[in-house]
Amino acid sequence: MKEIGTISLERMNNGAHYMYLLLILEKAEADATLKTKVSGLTADLREAVTKEDECLKLSQKSLLSDKIQAADGQRDALYSGYKKGVDGYADFPVAALAESAKVLAQHIKDYDIDPKMQLDKETGLLINFIADLEGKFAEHVTALALTPFVTNMKTANEAVRSLTASRTDERTVVEVGALKKARAASDTAYKNLVKMVNALAMVEGDANYAAFIDYVNTEIVHYKREVLGQTASKPGEGADISPDNNDERPGEL
C-alpha cells in the first residue's frame, strides 16, 4: 500500500518551508478525488499557508527600504553639491561673495554632517541645518545662487523622514513571533491532510490516491536532499522515504 512519507518541516528554512507547502497545497487542490474527500483539510491548509506567506513577507526587508536608500542617496548628493558650491566661492575675487562663502563654510563645519552617519541622526541634523539656510543664512545662500540645492535637499530629507516613519509603522504591526506561529499552524494543517490521505488510501485502496501520494513523496525526497541535506532515495527504491531520527510522523501533531 502506498502512503505519504515523513519530512522534518520544522528544520526547513522559511522560504523552503513555504514553497514546499504551497506545492503540496496546489497539487491537492487540483486533485479531483481530494476535492471531494478532503476539501475541508485543503481549505485549512490554504488558510494557513496564506497567513504564513503574509508573515513571511512582513518579516523580510521592507519594500520601503529601497525608497529610503534612494532618497538618502539623493540628499547626500545634494549636500555634497552644496558644500562644493560654497567651497567654490572661498577665494572669489568679489569680497561680498567670498564673505558669504566664509559664513556658510563655518556653518557647514559647525554641523559636521557626515553622509555615512546613522540615518536618523543625519535626518535630524539636516532639518536644523536646512532651517538655518532658509532663515538666518538665506541672504548668503541667495547671493551664491545655492537656493536650488537647499530646496531640493530639504525635499529629499523630508522624503527620508517620512519613509522611515512609515517603515517603523509597518514593522510595529508585525506581531512578535507571528511567522513562527504561522509556520506551526501550516505544519498542523499539512499533517492533518497527510494523515487523512494515508488513512483513506488504507481503507479504500490507494488507486485513487496514488498520483498525489507519489507526487508528495517525490517532493519529500527532493527537499530532504536539497534543503535538509539528508540522504534519501527515489520512491520505489526500497526504504526511500522512511523516517530518520529527525522526522515526525504525519499523525504526530
Side-chain angles (χ1 to χ4, degrees):
M1 183 197 77
K2 290 180 178 288
E3 68 172 353
I4 297 171
T6 63
I7 188 168
S8 301
L9 295 174
E10 76 284 353
R11 296 180 60 198
M12 292 185 187
N13 63 62
N14 289 333
H17 185 273
Y18 168 73
M19 185 54 62
Y20 173 78
L21 291 180
L22 181 63
L23 289 171
I24 303 307
L25 170 63
E26 290 177 343
K27 189 67 174 179
E29 290 178 332
D31 189 284
T33 300
L34 298 188
K35 281 183 180 180
T36 302
K37 295 287 187 176
V38 294
S39 59
L41 295 178
T42 54
D44 290 344
L45 183 57
R46 168 60 69 180
E47 181 180 357
V49 169
T50 299
K51 178 63 177 178
E52 182 177 338
D53 183 35
E54 293 173 356
C55 293
L56 182 61
K57 288 176 180 176
L58 286 174
S59 72
Q60 295 171 338
K61 185 187 76 169
S62 170
L63 294 177
L64 293 175
S65 295
D66 290 334
K67 294 182 179 179
I68 292 171
Q69 184 177 7
D72 181 40
Q74 184 179 26
R75 73 178 179 181
D76 290 347
L78 288 164
Y79 177 71
S80 177
Y82 169 78
K83 288 178 63 179
K84 289 178 181 178
V86 172
D87 291 341
Y89 280 97
D91 298 317
F92 204 72
V94 178
L97 296 182
E99 180 60 25
S100 289
K102 181 180 180 180
V103 171
L104 295 180
Q106 183 59 49
H107 181 242
I108 291 171
K109 184 177 180 180
D110 290 342
Y111 272 85
D112 192 27
I113 296 172
D114 182 356
K116 295 181 180 179
M117 65 176 44
Q118 196 274 332
L119 191 74
D120 297 309
K121 180 179 180 181
E122 182 184 356
T123 300
L125 288 175
L126 280 174
I127 289 173
N128 293 328
F129 181 80
I130 294 168
D132 288 346
L133 298 180
E134 292 181 326
K136 60 184 178 180
F137 296 131
E139 181 180 353
H140 299 297
V141 171
T142 301
L144 302 185
L146 295 174
T147 301
F149 280 101
V150 175
T151 300
N152 286 286
M153 184 164 47
K154 180 179 182 179
T155 299
N157 195 54
E158 285 301 316
V160 173
R161 184 183 185 184
S162 176
L163 288 167
T164 51
S166 296
R167 184 172 64 179
T168 298
D169 290 341
E170 180 183 86
R171 287 173 174 172
T172 58
V173 304
V174 182
E175 179 186 355
V176 176
L179 179 56
K180 183 178 180 180
K181 293 179 181 179
R183 281 189 54 153
S186 294
D187 290 352
T188 297
Y190 168 81
K191 291 173 185 177
N192 284 340
L193 175 62
V194 168
K195 182 179 180 181
M196 181 58 73
V197 171
N198 283 342
L200 288 170
M202 181 177 66
V203 173
E204 300 178 2
D206 57 30
N208 291 329
Y209 306 98
F212 179 72
I213 292 172
D214 287 344
Y215 175 83
V216 176
N217 283 342
T218 299
E219 288 298 337
I220 287 175
V221 171
H222 171 72
Y223 274 76
K224 278 189 174 184
R225 288 175 174 175
E226 303 300 327
V227 177
L228 301 180
Q230 297 176 350
T231 300
S233 302
K234 294 180 181 179
E237 295 182 357
D240 46 16
I241 51 172
S242 59
D244 57 30
N245 292 332
N246 295 312
D247 283 334
E248 293 182 359
R249 298 303 303 176
E252 295 177 355
L253 306 178

